[in-house]
Amino acid sequence: MIRILLAEDDQAMRTYLARALENAGYDVVAVDRGSEAVPHLETETFDLLLSDIVMPEMDGIELAQRCAEVSPMTKVMFITGFAAVTLRASREAPQAKVLSKPFHLRDIVMEVQRVFGLSAHAQL
């Protein structure tokens, strides 16, 4: 089963994303900030880090950089509502996919499926 570490500071968004991904068959660990995600990356194995970019304490880009150090096989996908931040993410983590808010939950599930080369249709 594909494991996803979700770092999103907005509680409603975190809940919706986690539920959608779990309903699509993924194992999701959800945290509310980058600094809370780091210990999970250091002690557990994840296939994907799905992170908001703008978060308190440690932003998503810093988290992705830390992820590359401690878990280099983990893929990274960003979500953000800020266009300027998207440009920074594309520059500092060019291998990461960036999804801009707002998006439909089905869209995020389909993007995750694409990252892993899965062709199944998203079901929420």
Side-chain angles (χ1 to χ4, degrees):
M1 177 180 283
I2 292 174
R3 295 195 75 218
I4 299 173
L5 178 56
L6 170 63
E8 167 62 64
D9 61 321
D10 180 271
Q11 181 179 353
M13 179 66 74
R14 186 173 61 253
T15 300
Y16 293 133
L17 288 172
R19 185 175 301 139
L21 292 166
E22 288 167 349
N23 287 343
Y26 300 106
D27 179 24
V28 180
V29 173
V31 297
D32 68 353
R33 61 187 53 133
S35 58
E36 187 179 338
V38 172
H40 289 281
L41 287 169
E42 293 173 338
T43 60
E44 301 174 57
T45 301
F46 293 95
D47 301 292
L48 176 68
L49 169 63
L50 177 58
S51 178
D52 190 1
I53 296 176
V54 179
M55 294 184 291
E57 296 178 19
M58 172 185 272
D59 70 25
I61 295 171
E62 292 172 292
L63 176 58
Q65 291 168 339
R66 184 73 178 127
C67 179
E69 294 170 7
V70 300
S71 183
M73 298 305 291
T74 302
K75 297 176 187 305
V76 177
M77 186 183 300
F78 293 122
I79 49 179
T80 187
F82 301 95
V85 174
T86 300
L87 295 174
R88 178 177 166 229
S90 296
R91 186 177 61 247
E92 295 187 29
Q95 74 287 359
K97 171 78 177 165
V98 181
L99 293 174
S100 296
K101 296 175 188 174
F103 50 77
H104 191 281
L105 291 177
R106 184 172 290 115
D107 296 334
I108 192 94
V109 171
M110 289 191 316
E111 283 300 324
V112 170
Q113 289 172 334
R114 274 193 269 272
V115 164
F116 292 104
L118 304 173
S119 60
H121 296 293
Q123 296 182 4
L124 301 177

